[in-house]
Amino acid sequence: MLWTPVNDFGWSVDNYGSTYTDAGIGVSSPGHANANTKGANTSMLVGIAEDCYGISISFSGRSGAAASQRCMVDLLIDPAAGVGNTGSSWNVVIANLFAVGPTLGTVGAFGYHYYFPLYLKAGTAIGTAHQNNTAGTLALRVAIRCYGKPSRSELMKCGTLVQTINANTSTTGGTVATTPGTGAKGSYSATLGTLTRDSWWWQLGVGSTDTSMTANGYLWDIAANATNKIMCAENIMYAVVSNAEQAGKAAMGTNIPIKCISSGQDVYTRAAAVGAPDTGMFGIVYALGGC
Amino acid sequence: MAISEAYANTESITSTEWSLTGDDNTLDAITTDGVYQLWLDVSDMITGDELQIRIYEKVQAADTQRVVYQSNLFGPQSPPIWVSPTLILIHGWDMSLDQIAGTSGITVTWSIRKVA
């Protein structure tokens, strides 16, 4: 019998705090006085004590009635900070993580989540810079947890580089639209962009420019290759809970979002909505590669 | 290619890193070439225990010995036997155990198996 052990993590560190509310969890990352401009670099975690093999990033606390509160967050690292020290010399490790109306705590809103098996050395400090389509130093709650001390490091596939596809920083939105189907998967979008390196882990940002979002449930797919539309991530849950422009998004759908796709392939999204979808919808794809 | 048991022993591991080749608390730099695999009986681990397993080697003979593999086990283990990947070790290697957390003293039996 082939003996195949499993890996689990014995260590994690986070900035969640003890208040699991929309505006209480995590740390506030302010926007900028100008719209569509990155706000101040903000420390999230001091230099981590162990090597990180996976990182979850969650957003909340940034919604407003009759307004599209679109957020884009650069995940920053200072690899030279040292264990326990606050970062000071920041580099972008994931550009423009997206959220629209991210809310935690309203019934049906569960926060706006991402997960990357991203490797970070011990001693790396983590921060964020947040921009919003609305001017002002608007607070966005960012909750981050890093996982380490694997029981089976040889079974851990980690990446080091993330490509962001279809982010439009001038509008804090997406460039290429995706129109979800109603009660069925809609057509694939036009190409969102082309992979610049081999990639294997997939995350999705979902948003809209709708200022009167309608309570709805969505399942989103990411695919690659113009001809075959190879499924990379499937049925990622996105929910709008009310007409107060509040939303939540899961990090993963109904399968683990692993698919090896070679550099040069185009990337697409499609979605199904239970009811009529909001207007101006788009997907932003994050493709992890490197090793 | 003969298969053999190069090192075998038992020890109550505490918070001092323990060399499994020397059976003491000083890391060695073994230069006997081979393909090695570490077997551990970790059935003594209980809730709250953390056991750190490390394998060291030099890339080239003149290099510094560094960690090439690390695994951290937490709490009771199922299955109670742990097995490392097999590594080709040449230039100055060792394997070690260290108790990171828990009530002091995790009794571990080990066998380092060799193909050479």
Side-chain angles (χ1 to χ4, degrees):
Chain A
M1 185 181 77
L2 178 64
W3 179 59
T4 307
V6 298
N7 175 70
D8 59 7
F9 294 116
W11 170 88
S12 68
V13 64
D14 64 68
N15 68 349
Y16 285 17
S18 57
T19 306
Y20 277 53
T21 63
D22 190 37
I25 194 168
V27 171
S28 181
S29 187
H32 193 277
N34 299 322
N36 307 317
T37 305
K38 289 290 186 310
N41 296 338
T42 304
S43 175
M44 291 289 141
L45 285 171
V46 296
I48 54 180
E50 303 288 340
D51 289 355
C52 168
Y53 293 81
I55 184 169
S56 68
I57 306 138
S58 304
F59 301 121
S60 66
R62 183 70 276 133
S63 64
S68 177
Q69 292 274 309
R70 300 191 302 275
C71 317
M72 270 185 179
V73 175
D74 282 349
L75 188 73
L76 309 172
I77 57 170
D78 180 353
V83 174
N85 299 325
T86 302
S88 58
S89 180
W90 297 109
N91 304 300
V92 176
V93 66
I94 305 176
N96 297 311
L97 285 167
F98 182 83
V100 63
T103 305
L104 171 67
T106 299
V107 174
F110 46 84
Y112 204 104
H113 303 279
Y114 293 92
Y115 182 84
F116 293 90
L118 180 72
Y119 177 78
L120 301 172
K121 278 183 62 170
T124 299
I126 298 169
T128 55
H130 160 218
Q131 73 171 58
N132 203 285
N133 63 302
T134 303
T137 52
L138 305 170
L140 169 71
R141 303 301 292 192
V142 183
I144 292 177
R145 174 170 282 162
C146 294
Y147 298 88
K149 284 197 173 181
S151 62
R152 283 286 177 179
S153 55
E154 76 274 21
L155 299 180
M156 280 301 304
K157 172 78 173 166
C158 287
T160 51
L161 301 164
V162 177
Q163 181 185 356
T164 300
I165 301 169
N166 198 38
N168 184 342
T169 55
S170 63
T171 61
T172 313
T175 299
V176 176
T178 299
T179 303
T182 301
K185 287 282 167 70
S187 300
Y188 278 108
S189 66
T191 176
L192 303 185
T194 304
L195 288 176
T196 56
R197 68 175 67 88
D198 296 351
S199 301
W200 55 273
W201 179 269
W202 303 87
Q203 290 285 280
L204 179 69
V206 175
S208 76
T209 56
D210 201 319
T211 56
S212 57
M213 293 158 67
T214 302
N216 210 341
Y218 298 81
L219 296 174
W220 283 69
D221 298 340
I222 304 171
N225 186 280
T227 304
N228 298 311
K229 300 296 191 297
I230 301 164
M231 194 64 70
C232 301
E234 192 166 14
N235 295 328
I236 298 166
M237 290 157 273
Y238 168 72
V240 175
V241 299
S242 70
N243 60 0
E245 285 59 70
Q246 296 175 322
K249 184 196 72 72
M252 303 179 205
T254 51
N255 63 351
I256 298 173
I258 293 176
K259 179 61 73 175
C260 297
I261 302 291
S262 58
S263 175
Q265 299 293 320
D266 282 1
V267 175
Y268 306 83
T269 50
R270 69 174 182 179
V274 174
D278 288 332
T279 58
M281 297 201 75
F282 52 86
I284 298 173
V285 171
Y286 306 88
L288 176 70
C291 58
Chain B
M1 301 285 274
I3 297 175
S4 62
E5 185 172 65
Y7 302 90
N9 222 314
T10 187
E11 180 66 26
S12 177
I13 303 298
T14 62
S15 58
T16 301
E17 188 172 15
W18 196 259
S19 164
L20 303 187
T21 57
D23 193 26
D24 57 21
N25 58 12
T26 302
L27 284 179
D28 295 308
I30 307 296
T31 54
T32 305
D33 301 356
V35 179
Y36 291 93
Q37 186 176 47
L38 173 62
W39 287 61
L40 299 175
D41 184 328
V42 286
S43 57
D44 190 45
M45 291 187 70
I46 59 173
T47 301
D49 284 346
E50 178 182 354
L51 182 67
Q52 179 174 279
I53 307 156
R54 283 181 164 173
I55 301 175
Y56 295 83
E57 169 65 312
K58 299 177 182 179
V59 172
Q60 294 186 8
D63 287 352
T64 301
Q65 187 184 55
R66 301 186 192 281
V67 176
V68 65
Y69 179 83
Q70 177 175 321
S71 178
N72 289 69
L73 306 183
F74 295 82
Q77 294 296 300
S78 179
I81 290 178
W82 183 94
V83 184
S84 77
T86 53
L87 296 174
I88 302 169
L89 302 174
I90 298 176
H91 287 309
W93 60 273
D94 201 356
M95 302 178 183
S96 74
L97 299 176
D98 195 357
Q99 183 175 12
I100 306 300
T103 304
S104 182
I106 303 171
T107 299
V108 181
T109 297
W110 67 87
S111 165
I112 300 176
R113 299 174 183 189
K114 174 184 175 183
V115 179

